[in-house]
Amino acid sequence: MARRILTWKLVLLAAFWLLAGPLRAQQGAPSGQPKTTRILFVLDASGSMNAPWEGQPRWNVAKSLLAKMADSLNAYPNLELALRAYGHQYPNKDNNCEDSRLEVPFARKNAAAIKQKLQALTPQGNTPITYSLLQSAGDFPADRNARNVLILITDGLESCKGDPCATALALQRKHVFLKPFVIGIGAEREFGEQLKCLGQYYNAADVKTFRAILGDVIAQTLAKTTVAVNLTDETGRPVESNVNMTFLNNVTDQPEYNYVHWRDAKGQPDVLDIDALQSYDLVINTVPPVRQQNLAIRPGKANVLTYKTPQGTLNLQNPPLSPNPYGVVQAVVRAQASPATVVARSFGAKQKLLAGNYEVEILTLPRIIRRITVKQGQETTVTYDAPGTLNIISDLKGYGSIYRLNQDDSQTWVYDLPQGGSSKINLPMQPGPYRLVYRTSNATGSRFTDVRPFTIRSGQTTSVSIFGK
């Protein structure tokens, strides 16, 4: 027992020095200003807390350990505590679903006030968890730069037909508090299945476990956590950098941190202050992006996360032709065997891509497919042939299509002429053999369809004339 208490005190002492030191602010926080951490204890004081637990009422165990915890935290800098209780103002027979009250508001060094209030409370009512969570939104002072932590200690489930899980999620989305800690005391396993959606759930089935969990939760809350992200090539060399990274809260799906990756002169990534009380997905915004779900971030540790993100460069190069009859040519890039677009860019641009196999669709007339392999640190150039121009001249409006002729004498549709449209058309096209299938609008049958083969050559104009019979 003495060793466990000593270990707990050492953890909290280490957290004290970490918390006292300068912390890098989250996005939007003033630089160099230490964050205030606010811990709101939401304590179950319903009638069920009078049930015996290893020889004494659950309530006595909870208030005793919470009082000791408040004492141990009283000297921490940049730390404020508060206490909200529920189920203590009205007897259970009243079935009061608004029986929740902020008993001790946030303040520094207020352990004495919390201990005094714990001694005065008497558990007797029901369990309005949802209402208590909603009321807690007003307990935290308006301070977007603070770390708001909620620790719910309960021995029962919601008894007022509320939805505590949806409420907790909504309050996290509004940045009222971070992902809550939920400690179920004297609870069965099924109890935890219904409460773990609220936040980080701990099952304190016995008094010893409850004591250890409470200490662990506080240590997680106060200990400084850092994360270094190492981006490597295919062989594991730390050479990649200058990539946007997003730490997404995977409960709310909202971005918590946005960084552009950096390395020092020795190739080492810098250290980021990441709040370990959230759970994250990391999106490394390469093209295509790399996503790591449920980051394994250990609270109070210097975490190093390593990912292979080898990149090469795609160079979309126009042919040497001025002016270009196409104007601006676009390209659509897809991973091979995947219909999803990775990126769309104009020719004349360069784009970094993860090393791998791609399909580049060039939006010329006709469209061209190039299959390429992008390699780490190398540039892959994609271009197309300089186009020629098709000039269609007709004395009558009509209907028709253009087909590309293939080496096996098959044909591939390329373009539909405007229906009943202009009799004069100029189209920039890729070099090669084609045929025009055309019927004038005044023809009296399909048999009057005209078929004209033609060839397009780079930089030249090919004229096809169709006149009425």
Side-chain angles (χ1 to χ4, degrees):
M1 176 67 72
R3 178 178 295 178
R4 182 171 62 251
I5 294 173
L6 178 60
T7 301
W8 183 20
K9 289 183 176 179
L10 287 174
V11 169
L12 292 178
L13 183 62
F16 172 89
W17 291 112
L18 287 169
L19 193 68
L23 292 177
R24 177 182 297 181
Q26 275 185 305
Q27 293 176 197
S31 177
Q33 178 179 335
K35 280 177 171 250
T36 297
T37 295
R38 296 190 172 98
I39 301 175
L40 174 64
F41 293 101
V42 179
L43 181 61
D44 187 347
S46 63
S48 61
M49 289 289 284
N50 289 313
W53 197 24
E54 298 183 14
Q56 58 182 317
R58 293 173 180 171
W59 174 252
N60 288 357
V61 176
K63 71 178 183 180
S64 173
L65 290 180
L66 201 53
K68 291 178 182 178
M69 180 60 67
D71 259 343
S72 70
L73 297 174
N74 209 44
Y76 272 60
N78 309 316
L79 178 65
E80 297 180 7
L81 303 179
L83 172 67
R84 170 175 286 275
Y86 61 80
H88 61 297
Q89 301 176 94
Y90 301 90
N92 188 265
K93 63 182 178 61
D94 288 359
N95 195 31
N96 191 302
C97 286
E98 295 183 357
D99 186 359
S100 180
R101 181 177 174 180
L102 178 65
E103 295 292 349
V104 181
F106 280 106
R108 297 174 187 245
K109 301 182 179 181
N110 60 350
I114 291 175
K115 290 162 61 178
Q116 183 179 4
K117 182 57 65 175
L118 286 170
Q119 291 301 322
L121 299 179
T122 301
Q124 58 176 327
N126 58 4
T127 313
I129 295 177
T130 302
Y131 180 77
S132 297
L133 290 175
L134 287 170
Q135 293 303 301
S136 74
D139 297 344
F140 294 96
D143 181 359
R144 290 188 65 86
N145 295 325
R147 299 173 69 244
N148 293 340
V149 180
L150 185 144
I151 301 176
L152 171 65
I153 302 171
T154 182
D155 77 334
L157 301 174
E158 170 70 44
S159 64
C160 289
K161 299 181 180 179
D163 189 342
C165 296
T167 301
L169 179 60
L171 293 175
Q172 288 176 73
R173 287 185 182 277
K174 293 179 180 179
H175 299 280
V176 172
F177 47 67
L178 302 172
K179 187 176 181 180
F181 292 103
V182 183
I183 304 176
I185 60 177
E188 301 296 330
R189 181 171 298 178
E190 293 74 15
F191 180 91
E193 288 299 317
Q194 298 181 57
L195 282 180
K196 67 182 182 181
C197 59
L198 272 166
Q200 181 64 52
Y201 177 75
Y202 295 89
N203 181 22
D206 53 63
V207 175
K208 176 182 176 182
T209 303
F210 179 39
R211 182 185 296 109
I213 288 173
L214 193 56
D216 180 59
V217 165
I218 294 299
Q220 287 187 54
T221 301
L222 300 182
K224 182 179 178 181
T225 302
T226 62
V227 175
V229 180
N230 199 22
L231 305 181
T232 74
D233 65 9
E234 292 168 323
T235 64
R237 294 182 305 153
V239 296
E240 294 293 348
S241 193
N242 304 322
V243 177
N244 288 1
M245 303 182 299
T246 303
F247 289 80
L248 283 176
N249 184 320
N250 61 13
V251 175
T252 66
D253 205 34
Q254 295 176 342
E256 295 289 347
Y257 303 91
N258 279 301
Y259 294 106
V260 178
H261 190 270
W262 180 86
R263 291 187 185 281
D264 63 19
K266 296 180 180 179
Q268 296 299 314
D270 57 345
V271 173
L272 310 173
D273 291 329
I274 302 295
D275 201 323
L277 298 194
Q278 304 282 20
S279 52
Y280 303 96
D281 291 351
L282 174 62
V283 180
I284 303 168
N285 293 292
T286 51
V287 181
V290 173
R291 182 163 183 155
Q292 174 63 56
Q293 296 181 324
N294 297 317
L295 287 185
I297 297 178
R298 297 174 299 163
K301 304 293 183 181
N303 298 267
V304 179
L305 309 176
T306 300
Y307 302 96
K308 288 185 178 181
T309 57
Q311 296 182 92
T313 302
L314 170 64
N315 180 11
L316 297 172
Q317 189 175 90
N318 284 302
L321 182 67
S322 182
N324 190 334
Y326 286 126
V328 177
V329 177
Q330 299 285 337
V332 177
V333 182
R334 304 179 183 90
Q336 282 192 18
S338 172
T341 297
V342 171
V343 68
R345 294 298 302 269
S346 301
F347 269 79
K350 293 184 178 182
Q351 174 66 54
K352 272 196 166 185
L353 294 172
L354 281 180
N357 297 319
Y358 295 90
E359 191 175 82
V360 181
E361 183 176 8
I362 307 169
L363 305 187
T364 53
L365 187 65
R367 297 189 178 196
I368 302 167
I369 301 294
R370 297 269 194 266
R371 290 180 174 82
I372 64 169
T373 298
V374 174
K375 297 182 179 180
Q376 162 74 36
Q378 297 184 20
E379 183 172 290
T380 301
T381 299
V382 171
T383 189
Y384 56 91
D385 293 332
T389 301
L390 170 64
N391 174 240
I392 300 175
I393 303 173
S394 174
D395 62 348
L396 295 172
K397 296 179 180 180
Y399 310 91
S401 298
I402 297 172
Y403 299 86
R404 178 71 180 257
L405 301 183
N406 304 316
Q407 292 183 351
D408 61 358
D409 294 330
S410 64
Q411 66 181 27
T412 302
W413 173 87
V414 171
Y415 182 80
D416 280 338
L417 301 181
Q419 290 194 8
S422 172
S423 58
K424 294 183 179 180
I425 298 173
N426 288 287
L427 290 175
M429 299 181 66
Q430 284 292 283
Y434 297 87
R435 66 167 53 109
L436 171 66
V437 179
Y438 186 85
R439 178 181 61 77
T440 60
S441 57
N442 63 351
T444 57
S446 298
R447 67 183 182 277
F448 297 110
T449 298
D450 201 350
V451 178
R452 298 289 181 89
F454 63 93
T455 299
I456 298 294
R457 296 178 175 84
S458 293
Q460 298 184 20
T461 298
T462 298
S463 295
V464 177
S465 299
I466 302 175
F467 297 100
K469 298 180 180 178

